[in-house]
Amino acid sequence: MKTRLLFLGPPGAGKGTQAARLCEANGMSHLSTGDLLRSEVAAGTALGQEAEAVMNRGELVSDALVLAIVESQMKNFSEGGWLLDGFPRTVPQADALEPLLKELEQPIEAVVLLELDDAELIERLLARGRDDDNEAVIRNRLEVYREKTSPLISFYRDKDLLVSVHANGSVEEITKRITEMLS
Ligand code: ADP
C-alpha cells in the first residue's frame, strides 16, 4: 500500500477521521495542521494566540507559521510512512513542501481527494459544533477552500498523484474505499 500521502478536501469531508484510521491501521505518522494549531491555542502559546482569531474567522493561518510547524514535525516521521492532513492548503505551501520532501528523499506517493456536496458538508460541520463551526464561519471556510486550496487539485493531478474518493457513506465504507484506491 502507498504510505506517503496527502489528504485534500473541503472542511467537513472527514479528512481527520479517515486519516486517523488509516494511520492507526498502517503504522503511519498522522500530521494534522488543524490539530497542531488547536493544541497551540489550548496551550496558550504565542503561536496559538496568533492563530486563534484567524481560525475562528475561518481564514487560513499564514503559510510561514504553518510551514514552521510542519517542518518541526517532519523530523518525527515514522519509518512506516506519513499522512499530511490539512496541509498543504495553498499552492505556496505545496511549493514549499517539495524541497523538504526531496531532502528527506521521501516523495509523495498519492494525494487523496475526499469529495462531498456542500449541503452535506455544512450539515456535518454544524453537527460537529467546534468553535469555528457556526454557519457564517463555515461558509467562509468553504469559500476559502474553493479559492485557496482547490487549485491544489489540478496541481497534483498534473503530477499524476491524485486519487478521488467519494466521502459519503459510513466511516468504515469510506476507509475501505480509500484503502482499495491505495493498494
Ligand atoms: P477542517 O478539517 O474543518 O478544514 P482543520 O482542523 O484542518 O479543519 O483546520 C482548522 C483551521 O486551522 C483552518 O480553518 C485554518 O484556519 C487552520 N489551518 C489548518 N491547516 C492549515 C494550513 N495548512 N494553512 C493555513 N491554515 C491552516
Side-chain angles (χ1 to χ4, degrees):
M1 188 175 118
K2 293 178 177 148
T3 54
R4 293 194 301 271
L5 309 173
L6 304 188
F7 265 20
L8 200 60
K15 296 185 298 290
T17 304
Q18 294 299 330
R21 290 169 62 86
L22 216 64
C23 288
E24 172 77 33
N26 299 287
M28 296 145 67
S29 301
H30 178 192
L31 197 163
S32 159
T33 44
D35 285 350
L36 290 168
L37 288 167
R38 278 186 290 279
S39 46
E40 297 284 341
V41 171
T45 63
L47 196 154
Q49 283 172 14
E50 190 184 327
E52 186 171 20
V54 179
M55 292 170 75
N56 284 340
R57 286 197 305 270
E59 304 288 339
L60 295 182
V61 169
S62 76
D63 289 340
L65 197 155
V66 171
L67 274 161
I69 293 184
V70 169
E71 214 172 333
S72 73
Q73 295 291 318
M74 284 171 80
K75 299 180 185 81
N76 308 324
F77 274 169
S78 141
E79 290 292 312
W82 38 262
L83 195 168
L84 306 187
D85 159 17
F87 174 90
R89 231 182 181 88
T90 64
V91 172
Q93 288 179 16
D95 284 334
L97 177 62
E98 295 207 336
L100 300 178
L101 294 178
K102 199 160 220 165
E103 195 175 326
L104 288 177
E105 296 182 14
Q106 295 192 20
I108 298 167
E109 292 178 305
V111 176
V112 178
L113 172 66
L114 293 178
E115 294 187 290
L116 202 65
D117 295 343
D118 275 12
E120 207 160 337
L121 293 171
I122 292 169
E123 196 178 308
R124 282 191 191 179
L125 290 166
L126 285 173
R128 184 166 75 178
R130 212 168 63 192
D131 278 359
D132 57 347
D133 282 342
N134 69 65
E135 187 147 0
V137 174
I138 289 170
R139 290 198 184 277
N140 195 30
R141 275 163 52 211
L142 288 172
E143 206 160 301
V144 169
Y145 171 77
R146 222 156 272 133
E147 188 187 326
K148 304 255 175 71
T149 308
S150 69
L152 292 175
I153 297 172
S154 51
F155 181 96
Y156 287 116
R157 188 183 286 127
D158 290 348
K159 295 180 191 292
D160 249 347
L161 290 170
L162 199 78
V163 169
S164 294
V165 177
H166 209 66
N168 66 342
S170 71
V171 169
E172 291 77 12
E173 265 163 20
I174 300 162
T175 308
K176 193 159 166 263
R177 244 176 252 162
I178 297 171
T179 307
E180 279 168 7
M181 297 293 264
L182 295 174
S183 44

